[in-house]
Amino acid sequence: MVIGILLALLGGTLVCLQNTFNANVKKQVSVWSTTMLVLALGFLASFAAGLAFEGTALFSFDADLWFWFSGVVGVGVVACVTQGVQSLGPSRAISLVMVSQIFFGLVWDSLGWFGLEQVPFTFQSFLGVLLISGGVLLFQLGPAIEEKARGQKQRTAARRTVKVNG
């Protein structure tokens, strides 16, 4: 379990790093050029790693045919997240991606979709998604709330200055 946790944390770090890099590439070229570059380099790297670690077993596919098309979904992932990171910044975009992943993971687990073993939907899991979503919302709105408070303090200070000088 510890290895699973460490790998998940490393994966999250790598996703954030990749999306930050992708957003910087997108500043220079289109989103489709960025997506093509990311997925082509990812194909080459995973092909080389697969050959190195699995040899010819790399070519032994034992999955339903429709699962083979997850790479097509990857095009949408890279295109959407790259643009989201460029528009919102890495921490905001990735936090929203995280909430979306947790929410849809809960739905798909609960319904047993996509070959997943059906897991009962519980109040605890709903509350967990709600708390995480609330934390992300607070994170998203935090700067706006701080800016509004700062503006109110400045207006109050300006009124005091006018009263003292007036």
Side-chain angles (χ1 to χ4, degrees), residues 1 10 60 82 140 153 155:
M1 186 164 156
L10 177 61
S60 179
T82 297
Q140 297 288 335
K153 285 180 183 177
R155 285 190 294 278

Side-chain angles (χ1 to χ4, degrees), residues 3 10 20 22 27 33 36 41 105 107 114 130 133-134 146 151:
I3 290 177
L10 177 61
T20 302
N22 293 353
K27 290 178 184 176
S33 296
M36 186 272 311
L41 290 173
V107 169
F114 306 115
L130 204 60
S133 300
E146 289 175 13

